[in-house]
Amino acid sequence: MRRVGILGGGQLGLLLIQSIHRLGGTAVVYDPDPDAPACQLTPHAFHSEWTNAAALEKFFKSCDVVTYEFENVESSSLFPFEKEKPIIPSSSVLKTTQDRILEKTFISEAKLPCVDFAVVNKYSELEKTARSFGFPFIIKTARGGYDGKGQKLVNSEEELQEFLAQSGKNSTTPFRAVLERALDIEMEVSCIVARSPNGEEKCFPVLENEHKDHILDITVIPARISASLETAIKDIALSAARELGAYGLLTTEFFLSNNPGNNSHGVQVGSWHIYINEFAPRPHNSGHVTMKACTVSQFEALARILLGVPLTQPHIVAPGYYCMGNLLGDVWLSQGSTGDLDLSPMCQFPEVIDVVLYGKKEPRSKRKMGHFITYANSAQAATGSAHSFREALQHKNVSALAPE
Ligand code: ADP
Ligand code: MG
C-alpha cells in the first residue's frame, strides 16, 4: 500500500485523504497542530514545527511520496529530502509559487499575461519604486499572504506616507513586496490542471469565483463565459503548468476585465482581457465544487497522480449549474454556537446537494469551517439558493429570539 505524506493538515488535506483511502492508499500527515482537521482521518501523524529537520526527516522516511496542502512550508527545508523521495509538485514549484516576487517574475518571463507590477526587495526601495510606478496600486507582501491578508490598496502619496510610517516600525524585518496595478475586474475565474509525471494532462472546466472581503464566497460551474474564452483560459493554465514543470495539481487564478486601462499585458479574446493573478500548487477552495459537479474531483485527480492510478478527463456530471458556498466561522457565531452547526434549514433547500464540515474546533470570524454545494437548472437559481441557504443558517436563531 503506497504511503502518501501530506505536509499540512487543513481541510484540503482532510478531503485529499478521503480520496487516497478510496484508492487503497495510506495517508501520513505532518502538521504542528494535533487538532488539525486531516488528523481526524489517520493515525499516522507527525506534530512538530515546520523548521524541525529531524521530525521532517522521520516523516519523509515513513512515506513513499509527499505532497503539500499548505504553501507556507519553507521550500528550502524540503530540498534535501527530495533526493530521497518524490515531492509532487516539486519543491522548486513551491519555491516559485510561495513567493509573489518569484511568481510574478516567472509569469512575465514566461510571457504569460499578468497585471503590471513592480518589485520591491527592501524597505528603503519602496518609496522611490512606488512613485515611479504611480498610484493607485495594491501592495502585496512577497510571502505568507492569504485571503487578502498581507495586501493593501494605496491610492495616493498621502496613503503611501501612512503606509511607510506604519511598516517602518518593523523595518528591521526583511521587507519584500510587489506593487500591482489595481484592475477593473469584471469576473474572477480559476482553472485547475492535473499532470502526472508519466505524461498525462487534464484540465478541469473553468470555475467562476466571487469574493467577499477578499475571501472566496461562491464558485459556479460551468463559468458563464463563451467557449472561446474558456478555451483561451485553459490554454494559459496548461502552458503555465508546463512552463513551471508542475506535476500534481496547479490551480491558476485569473482576473477577467473589459476595461484594462493601462494594463497592456493581457490576452485578449473579444472584449475580454485575461490576466493571471496567482497560482496554487495544490487543491484549491474553488475546486471543492468538483466534488459533486465533476466526474473526477480535484482531490481524486491528485490522489490518482500520487498513487500512480490513471487520470481520466473530468467532465461536468449533469447539465445545469452547480454552486459552492463557503461556510465561515461567522455562520457559527451568528447561531451562537461554538460547536455543532444547526443545519435544520437544509430541509427547505432541496437545491443543496452536499454539506461538508471540516471539524474545526473553534469557530472564528472569517475562518473557513465548511462548504456546501447547490445544483439547479440555471446559474441564477444555483447561486440564489446558495445565498438564501446561508442566510437561513445565519438567521437560524432569529425566530427563537422573536417574542411569542
Ligand atoms: P490571496 O493570496 O489573499 O488570495 P490575491 O492576490 O488572490 O491574494 O487577492 C485576493 C483578492 O483580492 C483577489 O481574488 C481579488 O478579488 C482582489 N485583488 C487582488 N489583486 C487585485 C488587483 N490587482 N486588482 C483588483 N483586485 C485585486
Ligand atoms: Mg488569491
Side-chain angles (χ1 to χ4, degrees):
M1 209 189 292
R2 217 163 178 200
R3 293 170 71 99
V4 178
I6 306 172
L7 292 156
Q11 61 269 22
L12 302 174
L14 174 92
L15 299 171
L16 175 61
I17 291 178
Q18 292 174 350
S19 293
I20 291 169
H21 285 169
R22 274 154 38 104
L23 288 169
T26 299
V28 186
V29 173
Y30 190 108
D31 193 297
D33 178 7
D35 285 333
C39 302
Q40 300 164 52
L41 290 190
T42 176
H44 312 293
F46 291 77
H47 306 297
S48 221
E49 292 313 311
W50 294 112
T51 46
N52 185 337
L56 280 170
E57 188 177 350
K58 270 195 196 156
F59 165 78
F60 270 84
K61 282 223 162 87
S62 72
C63 304
D64 299 312
V65 57
V66 171
T67 190
Y68 41 88
E69 61 96 68
F70 170 75
E71 269 153 284
N72 291 323
V73 192
E74 183 51 59
S75 57
S76 59
S77 65
L78 303 183
F79 288 147
F81 304 114
E82 205 160 22
K83 291 189 198 88
E84 316 287 327
K85 296 283 162 70
I87 304 179
I88 299 176
S90 68
S91 59
S92 88
V93 171
L94 177 63
K95 183 180 174 188
T96 305
T97 55
Q98 75 184 176
D99 183 301
R100 284 192 203 274
I101 295 179
L102 299 182
E103 186 176 57
K104 292 270 184 223
T105 307
F106 160 76
I107 295 170
S108 76
E109 282 177 359
K111 307 243 176 313
L112 292 163
C114 67
V115 291
D116 291 354
F117 69 95
V119 168
V120 179
N121 271 307
K122 42 184 189 300
Y123 180 78
S124 58
E125 287 173 6
L126 174 57
E127 192 164 7
K128 195 164 157 245
T129 309
R131 281 204 196 111
S132 63
F133 189 61
F135 304 100
F137 58 78
I138 300 174
I139 183 161
K140 300 184 178 181
T141 55
R143 295 290 298 262
Y146 67 98
D147 289 344
K149 294 191 177 81
Q151 43 180 285
K152 188 164 172 39
L153 177 66
V154 179
N155 284 300
S156 60
E157 177 69 37
E158 259 173 27
E159 287 184 17
L160 173 64
Q161 291 308 325
E162 258 171 53
F163 184 87
L164 284 164
Q166 278 165 13
S167 38
K169 285 178 198 142
N170 307 318
S171 61
T172 47
T173 53
F175 181 94
R176 295 171 63 249
V178 293
L179 310 184
E180 224 181 272
R181 198 57 76 212
L183 185 70
D184 184 359
I185 298 171
E186 189 77 23
M187 191 189 273
E188 294 191 54
V189 297
S190 51
C191 185
I192 303 169
V193 169
R195 292 177 84 227
S196 72
N198 50 25
E200 297 162 308
E201 277 183 336
K202 306 289 173 200
C203 218
F204 279 79
V206 173
L207 305 165
E208 178 183 336
N209 302 322
E210 277 179 33
H211 293 77
K212 204 173 154 195
D213 302 330
H214 296 277
I215 302 174
L216 183 68
D217 186 44
I218 60 166
T219 293
V220 181
I221 180 174
R224 287 163 284 179
I225 54 175
S226 67
S228 54
L229 193 51
E230 171 114 9
T231 304
I233 290 164
K234 284 180 175 168
D235 283 351
I236 297 168
L238 206 52
S239 308
R242 287 179 186 156
E243 202 61 44
L244 254 181
Y247 298 113
L249 298 185
L250 183 78
T251 308
T252 305
E253 295 179 9
F254 292 92
F255 297 145
L256 305 181
S257 177
N258 283 313
N259 182 21
N262 295 331
N263 283 288
S264 52
H265 298 103
V267 164
Q268 194 173 352
V269 176
S271 64
W272 291 95
H273 297 255
I274 309 170
Y275 302 86
I276 293 178
N277 170 26
E278 60 173 350
F279 301 114
R282 53 167 172 77
H284 191 262
N285 190 172
S286 63
H288 293 352
V289 76
T290 64
M291 290 173 76
K292 286 288 168 189
C294 293
T295 48
V296 182
S297 78
Q298 62 168 349
F299 299 104
E300 187 172 351
L302 180 55
R304 288 197 201 180
I305 293 166
L306 296 166
L307 294 167
V309 175
L311 275 178
T312 44
Q313 178 60 44
H315 294 293
I316 301 181
V317 172
Y321 289 83
Y322 295 80
C323 175
M324 187 282 307
N326 268 334
L327 292 171
L328 303 182
D330 307 73
V331 179
W332 275 251
L333 298 175
S334 71
Q335 284 194 1
S337 167
T338 50
D340 292 341
L341 187 68
D342 183 347
L343 288 169
S344 54
M346 244 177 111
C347 57
Q348 295 147 39
F349 292 90
E351 302 86 356
V352 176
I353 56 168
D354 198 22
V355 176
V356 181
L357 304 178
Y358 311 142
K360 294 187 184 175
K361 296 231 163 80
E362 192 194 337
R364 290 195 298 265
S365 179
K366 313 279 186 233
R367 188 179 199 199
K368 289 175 182 164
M369 301 279 290
H371 70 264
F372 62 92
I373 296 170
T374 62
Y375 172 65
N377 286 335
S378 69
Q380 211 183 0
T383 56
S385 61
H387 288 300
S388 309
F389 174 58
R390 211 166 30 195
E391 284 276 296
L393 289 178
Q394 266 165 345
H395 296 113
K396 179 62 202 59
N397 58 353
V398 170
S399 56
L401 294 174
E404 297 204 347

